[in-house]
């Protein structure tokens, strides 16, 4: 599998495109000649990005202001995408919460599952039949090293990203030989607005500066991985160490360590 050839008809879809990794993915794909469908809640940010990318890379950039946590809005978007020629789908939107589960806002926890899990599932189901019929397509799913092991005090997010990680890697193998590929992007700490959205300002202090990866570097490695048909992309040495720790450490040890770490964030 390789990335489909960009055409005037097909599109690359990026969710969570208003900032961070999503905006960087849009930049990378536009530079490769893909016209875009940019999806996020903040329409003003999307329009600024669309104007900049369409001007600098001479591609079309459509804006879809959509709250993917809203079931009705998500269903409408999924229906539209199912009817179009989608070359690339980047399931990137998501957020995290920190703290003991019983103390967190139940509605925000539900919204987190809707966005981090259900939206990824539904948008993939929407575009996959068309990709298989055309024998061409690439799907990127932004998971996390947080999904490699239990994450006490980060429970919903860790479970959500465990779904994303396993879903992406399972689909990767399932699609072998079809012309359609699926790649997992599993980053560790990335310099984005993620901590601000999670309402956790101490993330910056907890992880030393040299261990952070920029959104641009994560997107660069993700798109290169898509082009090569890779199963998993893990940007940065810290994320690679986290991945090894999550895979090979006894889960009771990793759970105890992360319980202590995430307690410092709340």
């Amino acid at each position: 599998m390789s990335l489909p050839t960009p055409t005037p008809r097909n599109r690359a879809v990026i969710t969570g495109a208003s900032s961070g990794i999503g905006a960087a993915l849009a930049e990378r794909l536009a530079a490769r000649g893909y016209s875009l469908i940019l999806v996020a809640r903040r329409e003003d940010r999307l329009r600024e990005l669309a104007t900049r990318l369409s001007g600098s890379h001479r591609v079309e950039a459509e804006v879809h202001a959509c709250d993917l946590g809203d079931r009705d809005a998500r269903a409408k978007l999924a229906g539209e995408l199912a009817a179009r020629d989608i070359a690339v789908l980047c399931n990137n939107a998501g957020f995290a919460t920190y703290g003991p589960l019983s103390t967190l806002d139940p509605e925000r926890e539900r919204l987190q599952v809707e966005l981090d899990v259900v939206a990824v599932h539904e948008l993939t189901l929407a575009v996959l039949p068309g990709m298989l019929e055309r024998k061409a397509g690439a799907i990127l799913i932004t998971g996390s090293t947080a999904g490699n092991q239990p994450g006490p005090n980060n429970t919903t997010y860790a479970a959500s990203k465990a779904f994303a990680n396993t879903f992406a890697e399972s689909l990767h193998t399932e699609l072998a030989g079809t012309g359609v590929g699926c790649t997992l992007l599993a980053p560790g700490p990335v310099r984005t607005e993620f901590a601000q959205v999670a309402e956790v300002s101490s993330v910056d202090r907890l992880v030393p500066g040299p261990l952070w990866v920029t959104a641009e570097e994560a997107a660069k490695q993700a798109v290169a991985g898509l082009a090569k048909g890779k199963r998993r992309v893990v940007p940065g040495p810290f994320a690679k160490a986290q991945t090894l720790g999550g895979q090979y450490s006894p889960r009771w040890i990793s759970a105890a360590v992360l319980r202590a770490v995430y307690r410092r964030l709340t």
Side-chain angles (χ1 to χ4, degrees):
M1 194 281 298
S2 61
L3 283 168
T5 302
T7 70
R9 176 182 170 81
N10 68 18
R11 293 290 183 272
V13 181
I14 302 98
T15 70
S18 60
S19 66
I21 296 174
L25 286 169
E27 175 92 47
R28 284 278 162 188
L29 291 167
R32 285 176 175 255
Y34 288 100
S35 288
L36 308 168
I37 298 175
L38 305 173
V39 181
R41 291 179 303 166
R42 295 177 291 188
E43 185 172 357
D44 56 339
R45 291 275 195 101
L46 294 182
R47 293 206 176 280
E48 289 176 11
L49 181 64
T51 299
R52 181 170 64 81
L53 295 183
S54 59
S56 57
H57 298 293
R58 297 184 178 180
V59 297
E60 294 183 21
E62 303 173 34
V63 168
H64 279 244
C66 177
D67 180 355
L68 290 173
D70 182 292
R71 294 179 181 180
D72 292 337
R74 190 173 66 229
K76 181 180 178 183
L77 174 65
E80 292 174 5
L81 296 183
R84 299 188 62 175
D85 182 346
I86 303 302
V88 183
L89 170 65
C90 297
N91 281 303
N92 174 72
F95 72 90
T97 55
Y98 295 89
L101 186 64
S102 61
T103 68
L104 299 175
D105 178 358
E107 178 57 24
R108 189 159 173 77
E109 294 304 287
R110 185 199 65 78
L111 180 61
Q112 189 177 180
V113 174
E114 289 283 348
L115 184 60
D116 293 5
V117 176
V118 184
V120 171
H121 197 232
E122 289 185 355
L123 294 188
T124 300
L125 289 172
V127 305
L128 190 55
M131 288 182 172
L132 288 170
E133 184 176 348
R134 293 186 292 274
K135 297 181 172 58
I139 298 169
L140 180 76
I141 295 176
T142 301
S144 172
T145 54
N148 295 332
Q149 63 285 303
N153 295 315
N154 185 222
T155 295
T156 301
Y157 184 71
S160 298
K161 290 306 178 181
F163 171 85
N165 290 1
T166 302
F167 182 63
E169 293 191 87
S170 299
L171 191 56
H172 171 89
T173 302
E174 182 179 311
L175 293 172
T178 65
V180 181
C182 182
T183 296
L184 167 67
L185 171 63
V190 179
R191 291 286 185 197
T192 67
E193 296 176 1
F194 187 85
Q196 180 182 339
V197 173
E199 300 174 351
V200 178
S201 59
S202 54
V203 171
D204 280 357
R205 297 194 301 272
L206 190 66
V207 181
L211 298 181
W212 289 80
V213 173
T214 65
E216 289 72 21
E217 181 61 26
K220 175 184 175 183
Q221 293 190 31
V223 174
L226 271 180
K228 293 178 181 177
K230 294 186 69 172
R231 174 178 55 85
R232 174 188 279 245
V233 174
V234 182
F238 188 71
K240 288 181 171 62
Q242 280 183 300
T243 299
L244 288 173
Q247 289 177 331
Y248 296 110
S249 297
R251 293 175 79 80
W252 67 271
I253 292 179
S254 57
V257 170
L258 288 173
R259 181 170 182 257
V261 170
Y262 290 140
R263 270 182 171 176
R264 298 174 62 183
L265 295 176
T266 58

